[in-house]
Amino acid sequence: MSEFALIARLQQLFAAHAESCKHKPVLGIGDDAAVLAIPAGQHLLVTTDTLVSGVHFSADDKPSDIAAKALAVNLSDLAAMGAEPAWFFLAISLPGQDLAWWDDFTAGLLEMAASGAIQLAGGDTTHGPLSVTITAMGITEQGKALRRDGARPGDRVVVSGQPGLAAFALQQKLADHEAPPDALKALLRPQPRLALGRELRNLASACVDVSDGLAADLGHILKASGCGAELLLEKLPTPAALADLETEARWKLQLSGGDDYELCFTLPPEHLPLLPEIERRAGVALHVIGTVVSGGGLKLQQRDGQEFRLDSSGYEHFSASSGNA
Ligand code: ADP
Ligand code: MG
């Protein structure tokens, strides 16, 4: 089986899905480059993420989970910008040509592509250590992308879903314990918050997706916006899977654990009454956890007014503790 046979199989699998997508490429898989038409009055948003075996997943993880997550993390970036997904590219390096592995991988990829209504428009297939790079493209009305630099003092800080679940599953996995099913699902099959991102256009002042940890990712908004924030930690939701943890251990997971792919955004206070309607339309719970303030830094407050100190705010590649220095 050659590289071309793998590509042909993939293309065939995606054919019906391609028909159902709104933004068809002028020219997709099969030529030296794809040709894409950006609708008039729209901006193109482009993001890319790599998942490497042994760093982001284990080689024996289900291929369909690896594929779905590789696309989900890119869709999550588009969601955070309020973009409508349009096209994606898959650059994959494979150690061998295991057809059963490839079929499971491509099935997981198709499942996530269908849920995000995004079309595969090209890629690259090479022989080497297992690694998956996806580049995803989306569109927004000109000037309407949700950026990191628009937060203002007085805005509320809001987070979606149940931050901490994915980090808890990873912690359990690394300790050879069985993780609760909903935590494992959050780790292996994160759901990009595309509907929420769409709802936040014209409302949120800044937005980021939580990939490296809530404190670190909110920190990116604060730095880009030149503001600080005060969080009330008791406002963080307590997922059932984390209910037995000591409060401080739970906060630590929720603030510095990565891989949630929830959205954290800032909302001008006049839009607060819209939150229940946004929740309903986006199909995800929203939690107001704090307020943007002037001056820099992130203050984490406990119920008694005492400050909570985090020793590390999120995952960083090349840091001493990530083992990738
Ligand atoms: P070239 O050598 O000109 O880069 P390739 O042989 O790599 O062309 O690819 C042939 C066609 O198949 C191109 O249109 C490319 O985008 C597509 N393709 C290759 N690998 C993948 C992949 N993993 N996923 C989707 N499309 C792919
Ligand atoms: Mg090529």
Side-chain angles (χ1 to χ4, degrees), residues 102-149:
W102 184 244
D103 285 347
D104 194 59
F105 180 90
T106 54
L109 191 68
L110 178 62
E111 204 182 305
M112 186 54 69
S115 83
I118 191 165
Q119 176 153 351
L120 180 63
D124 194 29
T125 309
T126 57
H127 184 233
L130 182 58
S131 136
V132 183
T133 298
I134 287 181
T135 302
M137 303 184 182
I139 54 178
T140 63
E141 249 177 79
Q142 278 183 15
K144 293 291 167 123
L146 287 171
R147 302 160 47 137
R148 294 178 174 184
D149 58 2

Side-chain angles (χ1 to χ4, degrees), residues 35 96 110 126 133 192 208 220 238 282 303 322:
V35 180
L110 178 62
T126 57
T133 298
V208 72
H220 297 318
T238 310
R303 187 195 288 271
S322 73

Side-chain angles (χ1 to χ4, degrees), residues 1-320:
M1 169 124 327
S2 73
E3 161 199 342
F4 299 107
L6 292 178
I7 299 167
R9 222 173 154 87
L10 175 65
Q11 197 176 3
Q12 202 179 14
L13 182 71
F14 270 76
H17 166 64
E19 280 309 306
S20 73
C21 283
K22 181 169 153 198
H23 300 287
K24 300 195 178 15
V26 177
L27 191 58
I29 296 176
D31 215 310
D32 290 314
V35 180
L36 308 170
I38 303 159
Q42 310 268 316
H43 275 165
L44 179 69
L45 291 89
V46 185
T47 179
T48 194
D49 266 302
T50 296
L51 264 58
V52 175
S53 179
V55 180
H56 303 92
F57 61 87
S58 354
D60 55 2
D61 280 353
K62 263 176 68 130
S64 50
D65 286 342
I66 298 170
K69 185 160 179 176
L71 183 52
V73 302
N74 280 279
L75 287 170
S76 176
D77 283 326
L78 293 181
M81 302 291 290
E84 178 174 277
W87 311 286
F88 76 102
F89 294 77
L90 167 69
I92 185 163
S93 155
L94 290 168
Q97 293 191 341
D98 176 342
L99 206 54
W101 191 98
W102 184 244
D103 285 347
D104 194 59
F105 180 90
T106 54
L109 191 68
L110 178 62
E111 204 182 305
M112 186 54 69
S115 83
I118 191 165
Q119 176 153 351
L120 180 63
D124 194 29
T125 309
T126 57
H127 184 233
L130 182 58
S131 136
V132 183
T133 298
I134 287 181
T135 302
M137 303 184 182
I139 54 178
T140 63
E141 249 177 79
Q142 278 183 15
K144 293 291 167 123
L146 287 171
R147 302 160 47 137
R148 294 178 174 184
D149 58 2
R152 295 295 171 260
D155 290 352
R156 300 301 193 272
V157 178
V158 188
V159 68
S160 66
Q162 304 196 305
L165 271 186
F168 181 62
L170 183 63
Q171 193 184 60
Q172 296 297 101
K173 224 177 138 193
L174 293 176
D176 268 331
H177 295 151
E178 202 167 318
D182 53 339
L184 210 53
K185 186 160 175 279
L187 177 69
L188 298 176
R189 285 288 182 124
Q191 294 300 312
R193 300 297 183 194
L194 288 161
L196 177 58
R198 257 196 316 272
E199 292 303 321
L200 295 178
R201 286 188 281 213
N202 300 318
L203 295 177
S205 51
C207 187
V208 72
D209 71 321
V210 181
S211 52
D212 297 327
L214 183 54
D217 288 316
L218 172 58
H220 297 318
I221 288 185
L222 301 177
K223 188 159 182 241
S225 302
C227 299
E230 286 176 9
L231 298 192
L232 294 170
L233 297 184
E234 68 187 87
K235 301 286 184 194
L236 282 169
T238 310
L242 307 191
D244 290 342
L245 294 179
E246 300 261 338
T247 308
E248 296 206 349
R250 170 167 64 81
W251 284 344
K252 212 170 151 230
L253 270 181
Q254 296 190 287
L255 293 164
S256 56
D259 261 359
D260 283 322
Y261 302 102
E262 294 297 345
L263 296 187
C264 175
F265 58 95
T266 56
L267 191 70
E270 64 267 28
H271 296 323
L272 276 173
L274 299 176
L275 275 182
E277 180 63 10
I278 300 174
E279 263 184 328
R280 198 185 59 77
R281 291 166 65 115
V284 62
L286 300 175
H287 306 276
V288 179
I289 56 171
T291 306
V292 178
V293 297
S294 55
L298 180 61
K299 219 168 163 187
L300 305 169
Q301 279 181 327
Q302 310 186 42
R303 187 195 288 271
D304 56 10
Q306 265 200 7
E307 208 174 319
F308 179 68
R309 296 237 164 250
L310 260 190
D311 29 357
S312 95
S313 64
Y315 187 84
E316 270 185 66
H317 291 272
F318 305 108
S319 75

